[in-house]
Amino acid sequence: MASKDLGSDGQDSGVEVRIIGDPIGKGLFATRDFKSGDVIFEERPLVSCQFLWNAAYGYLACDFCMRPLETAEENAARLAQDPQLSLPYPECCDTRKEAIVECPHCDVSYCSRECRESAWNQYHRTLCLRTFQPDPSHPLVMLQEAWKWWGLVPGAHHCRAAEGRKRKRNTDADNGQMHYPPETACIMLLARVLATVRQAEDQEGATALFLQFCHRTVNQEEEIAHKLLGAEFHNQLEALRSLMEKSLWAPEVEHWLTPEGFRSLVALVGMNGQGIGTSPLSRWVRNCDALNLPPQERQTVDALIDNVYQQLEKEAGGFLNNEGSGLYPLQSACNHSCAPNAMPTFPYNNFHLAMTAVQDIATGDEICVSYLDECNLGRSRHSRIAILRENYLFTCRCAKCENQVGDPDVTSEEDMEDEDEEEEEDE
C-alpha cells in the first residue's frame, strides 16, 4: 500500500509513503531519481515549539516559526558576553526587527503579524495566559517549570565530546541535530498538540493528523519500552499529566489525558519530534560569504568571523542556535539508517524543513535519515543500537549495523570514556 505525496500544485512531489509492515510500519520511498545535494521535499510542521531552557537562556525566536528575533550583532554580542562587539555589513542580517509584534494579551513575540495570526488561530487562543506577568501558580506555568527542572527528557541522549568542538560556520542552523544541555523535546509541544485539536473546526480530523505519528509506548515483539515510560518515571509523568489536565482538559482531548493516553502522547513527541535550529549569526555569515569583495577586504572579513567564533567558543561552547522541535508528517515517515541518504535542513532560518539528499537516490530507494546526532552516529554499533532501543523502540538492522555485526558486542573504549565522564559530572 502506498500514498503519494503531492506538491501544492498537485504534481507528484517525488516521494511516496509505503506501508512496510510490522515491526517497521511505514517508510518513505523515492518515485524519481535524486542527486546528492538535491532537495527531496519541503514541508512545514503540524506544530512546533522552542525548547523552554533555550528560551530561558535568552535565545529570542518567533513563538510560531522560530525565526530569530535578534540581529546577528545582538546575537553574537550576547553569546560572547561582549556588549561592545560590532559586526559590519548589517544589510547581511536577515532579522527585520521592525516587523516583530507581540501578542496583545501576553508577552509572547512573533516575527510578523502573519505568524501571530497563525499561532492565535491554531493554538495560542487556548494557551494564552492573557497577562504580561504570568502567575507562578497557573497550571500552564507550573507545567513548564516542572518540565524544565525534570532532569531527563525525551531523547536526551547526547554527546559531551561535541560540547567543546568548534562548530562549522554556515551550517549551524541548517542541521536538525540535537544538543545538550538541556532538552531534546518540550512539554509545550504536547500542549500545542492538544490546543490545536481543541481549536480545530474538524476536531476528529485534527486528532487523526496526530495519530498518524508512531505513538507506541512498548515494542511487544522485542519486549522493550520507551525509556521515559518505565516505573522509575511514574511520579514525574503523573505530575506532568495532572498539570496538563488542569490546564487543557476538554472532552475532545480527554483520551490523551488519561494515564495511558498521556504516555502515548509523550511517546508520540519523544519518538517523532524533529530538531529545529535557527541562527541570525550563521545567516549573516552565509550572506557575507556571498558578497563580492576585494581580496584584502575578504581576508579581513574572514579573520573577523573567525575571531567572533573563537569568542563564542570560549563563552558559549557549541550552543549557538535557537533550538526547538516539531512534528513533520513526511519527515516522520523516514526510517532510520546509520548510513543515511538524506538529511533534514532548515534553509529559510525558520521551521520550514527541506529534506536534502546526501547521496544519490534512485527511483524506488527508501529515503532514510539518521535519528542519531553526528556524535552518536560515530559511536560503536553496540552503543548506537542501545540508544535507538531506548528512544525509538527498535533494534537497528541497517546495512551499516549488519556489516558490523561481527564487531565485539561491547561499548567501544571511546564510548566507555564518554559514559564515565557523564557519570562523574552527574555525581
Side-chain angles (χ1 to χ4, degrees):
M1 181 176 179
S3 174
K4 283 195 175 183
D5 179 66
L6 299 180
S8 58
D9 58 359
Q11 299 298 311
D12 182 355
S13 68
V15 297
E16 66 180 14
V17 178
R18 297 179 188 171
I19 302 301
I20 299 174
D22 292 334
I24 297 176
K26 61 185 178 182
L28 193 69
F29 292 80
T31 58
R32 63 180 178 84
D33 295 346
F34 294 96
K35 294 292 186 182
S36 179
D38 286 351
V39 172
I40 303 169
F41 64 83
E42 298 187 17
E43 64 176 334
R44 288 172 45 155
L46 295 182
V47 66
S48 63
C49 188
Q50 185 183 9
F51 296 151
L52 292 176
W53 272 116
N54 194 256
Y57 287 149
Y59 291 79
L60 305 178
C62 175
D63 201 57
F64 183 70
C65 77
M66 282 194 58
R67 187 183 300 278
L69 298 183
E70 57 185 349
T71 65
E73 183 171 278
E74 291 170 335
N75 178 248
R78 176 176 59 81
L79 291 171
Q81 299 184 34
D82 179 5
Q84 303 305 314
L85 190 151
S86 177
L87 298 180
Y89 312 111
E91 69 277 9
C92 289
C93 177
D94 290 346
T95 306
R96 298 292 173 259
K97 301 201 71 168
E98 68 277 6
I100 296 174
V101 296
E102 291 187 344
C103 171
H105 310 293
C106 68
D107 62 352
V108 170
S109 298
Y110 302 94
C111 68
S112 65
R113 293 181 182 276
E114 291 76 16
C115 277
R116 182 175 66 182
E117 182 178 359
S118 295
W120 183 262
N121 291 336
Q122 181 179 337
Y123 53 76
H124 190 63
R125 186 170 69 247
T126 297
L127 298 177
C128 182
L129 295 176
R130 290 175 170 76
T131 176
F132 288 88
Q133 294 182 326
D135 179 0
S137 64
H138 190 288
L140 268 179
V141 177
M142 294 177 66
L143 177 69
Q144 294 176 66
E145 290 303 309
W147 179 264
K148 281 162 57 176
W149 291 108
W150 184 15
L152 184 62
V153 293
H157 52 274
H158 58 277
C159 175
R160 297 205 181 255
E163 292 183 18
R165 186 173 57 206
K166 183 177 177 64
R167 296 177 64 93
K168 294 180 180 179
R169 344 190 291 225
N170 299 332
T171 61
D172 293 348
D174 287 348
N175 64 55
Q177 306 296 341
M178 294 284 77
H179 309 298
Y180 183 91
E183 296 168 281
T184 53
C186 181
I187 194 67
M188 291 308 292
L189 193 60
L190 280 69
R192 289 184 180 186
V193 169
L194 300 186
T196 295
V197 172
R198 284 186 52 176
Q199 289 188 205
E201 292 185 9
D202 178 6
Q203 293 175 339
E204 289 187 5
T207 300
L209 282 177
F210 291 112
L211 288 178
Q212 71 180 295
F213 295 96
C214 178
H215 55 284
R216 60 184 177 179
T217 60
V218 176
N219 183 331
Q220 299 287 359
E221 178 176 318
E222 300 197 41
E223 298 181 347
I224 52 178
H226 194 283
K227 72 175 186 179
L228 268 186
L229 304 177
E232 66 270 33
F233 298 125
H234 173 79
N235 291 339
Q236 291 98 322
L237 281 173
E238 178 55 27
L240 293 172
R241 187 200 66 80
S242 177
L243 289 168
M244 188 78 78
E245 185 176 41
K246 291 177 182 178
S247 305
L248 292 171
W249 186 92
E252 55 270 22
V253 296
E254 63 179 342
H255 62 286
W256 268 324
L257 294 171
T258 65
E260 186 55 37
F262 189 70
R263 286 165 58 89
S264 72
L265 189 60
V266 170
L268 185 155
V269 170
M271 296 173 67
N272 297 279
Q274 164 63 49
I276 302 168
T278 64
S279 167
L281 180 60
S282 69
R283 294 290 291 186
W284 175 83
V285 171
R286 172 171 294 183
N287 291 337
C288 284
D289 284 346
L291 294 175
N292 185 16
L293 302 176
Q296 185 61 44
E297 189 173 352
R298 168 59 60 196
Q299 185 176 358
T300 300
V301 172
D302 287 345
L304 180 146
I305 291 172
D306 288 341
N307 182 61
V308 167
Y309 272 91
Q310 287 173 9
Q311 287 184 261
L312 299 186
E313 177 68 25
K314 178 181 177 181
E315 300 295 338
F319 308 110
L320 308 184
N321 296 350
N322 301 313
E323 294 187 346
S325 61
L327 297 174
Y328 296 82
L330 279 179
Q331 175 274 335
S332 72
C334 295
N335 288 314
H336 167 82
S337 171
C338 294
N341 58 15
M343 178 180 71
T345 63
F346 297 90
Y348 306 108
N349 212 25
N350 61 8
F351 62 17
H352 191 110
L353 180 150
M355 187 63 70
T356 303
V358 295
Q359 301 176 24
D360 289 350
I361 299 173
T363 301
D365 285 353
E366 184 175 6
I367 297 166
C368 293
V369 299
S370 172
Y371 294 176
L372 304 175
D373 62 25
E374 180 182 356
C375 185
N376 281 317
L377 197 59
R379 298 175 78 172
S380 69
R381 173 182 179 272
H382 172 84
S383 295
R384 297 197 308 270
I385 287 177
I387 294 168
L388 292 166
R389 283 171 62 87
E390 286 182 343
N391 293 282
Y392 301 101
L393 306 185
F394 72 92
T395 298
C396 186
R397 295 185 174 87
C398 71
K400 181 176 179 178
C401 285
E402 291 299 291
N403 289 336
Q404 294 177 345
V405 73
D407 291 356
D409 195 22
V410 294
T411 304
S412 69
E413 291 184 9
E414 181 181 345
D415 292 343
M416 292 177 68
E417 290 175 2
D418 286 344
E419 290 167 5
D420 288 342
E421 289 177 7
E422 291 171 19
E423 290 175 1
E424 290 175 3
E425 293 182 23
D426 291 337
E427 291 177 354

